[in-house]
Amino acid sequence: MSNYFYTKKEAEKAILVGVALQSENISYDTMCEYLDELAFLAETAGAETVKIFTQNLDKPVTATFVGKGKLEEIKNYVEENDIDLIIFDDELSPTQLRNIERELKGRKVLDRTNLILDIFAKRARTAEARAQVELAQYQYLLPRLTGMWTHLERQKGGIGLRGPGETEIETDRRIIRDKITRLKEQLEKIDKQMVTQRKNRGKLVRVALVGYTNVGKSTLMNLLSKSEVFAENKLFATLDTTVRKIAIKNVPFLLADTVGFIRKLPHHLVESFKSTLDEVREADVILHVVDISHPQFEDQVRIVNETLSELIDTPKPTITVFNKIDAFTYTKKDEDDLTPIERKNYSLDDLKQMWMSKQGEETVYISAKGKENIDELKEKLYDIVKDIHSARFPFNDFLYQEYEEE
């Protein structure tokens, strides 16, 4: 009989803190949407959200971000319910972080940036991804050195302390800066290798899957490439860019699955993941995948488009792929209901007409999970890739040979 006992590690109990800032035109409803996403981030990191605290402010309180009364309310709840973790939806300054921790008697306090960094540290698999995350972590920690290390000595493990946290971070700023320098040099070498790899792929047309995190890019990648890329219903399931060679009818091309975007994505991560994002910069065609079943999908589209505009100088041929039509729901208004139509009242046909008027023909509505309308997507992609391929290889006969699908 075995003497070993296996116990499942209990999730850390967390509370979330959000502030509707009038100075940034953040309404209470918008703040609640942000907090829903923060709760998903916390779940992805392994925490259980037990309560959410909110406050309306003109601007953040300089010393503690939230007001004195709200912080006292949080403190009482934390002590009475033995809370492990307090997560703020906005980035805290080093001073705010120290003051809040002091007020909460050393309880673990994270901001949104630190939480995202933790998830990236957990998800990083390759040497490149680990170096990218580690660099971003050090850059985040550097201005927060004062008072941080006694905090790290008290807390042994858990959310927000993965990667360089517990054993490798020294108090000496010079050592931290040296580590940052070495990581940058390491990533420059990796970047050069990646550039060489991309050149070695020849002049094949390159297609990049982009989109908000958790919209189904990896599932679509698996479907189109008939491969098994890791896909999971959690944020940032994949960090490393995966590239597969695919052929639709008689046209070959490369398809790259990239890291998902998110609102308030830490700028350290954007800088660190430069080589990963280069797949987007150098792509010939963009497949922008959207989760149409998400209540805030239009906001997610805006965030991705803004990020793409920062990465790409000139517009590229783009197909907007509205995924998860099998999960789409809406509330039909009664005929005698005279209240204004809200977003939740639009049917899928209504949304199709709206987006068709905005973007023309280059939209397609699919379910990657249910394999619905995939042929329509392939046809649209084939037409665009074929034109680029024909221009790049004008004397290539095989494009014009008759082709029959199996």
Side-chain angles (χ1 to χ4, degrees), residues 385-397:
V385 171
K386 181 186 70 173
D387 289 343
I388 298 172
H389 193 102
S390 298
R392 197 165 290 174
F393 303 101
F395 303 108
N396 204 326
D397 293 334

Side-chain angles (χ1 to χ4, degrees), residues 61 73 102 147 209 211 403:
V61 176
E73 184 185 343
R102 190 182 301 118
L209 282 165
Y403 174 85

Side-chain angles (χ1 to χ4, degrees), residues 24-68:
E24 297 182 14
N25 295 320
I26 296 177
S27 67
Y28 184 83
D29 289 342
T30 301
M31 176 197 62
C32 290
E33 293 171 10
Y34 291 177
L35 286 169
D36 286 343
E37 184 171 271
L38 188 67
F40 199 1
L41 284 166
E43 179 189 341
T44 299
E48 176 192 359
T49 299
V50 296
K51 189 172 177 63
I52 295 175
F53 288 86
T54 62
Q55 187 172 31
N56 288 300
L57 290 174
D58 289 334
K59 60 182 180 179
V61 176
T62 305
T64 56
F65 197 81
V66 294
K68 184 177 180 181

Side-chain angles (χ1 to χ4, degrees), residues 241-260:
T241 299
T242 305
V243 181
R244 295 283 185 270
K245 185 176 179 180
I246 297 173
I248 296 179
K249 298 183 181 180
N250 48 357
V251 180
F253 62 94
L254 296 174
L255 181 65
D257 183 16
T258 61
V259 63

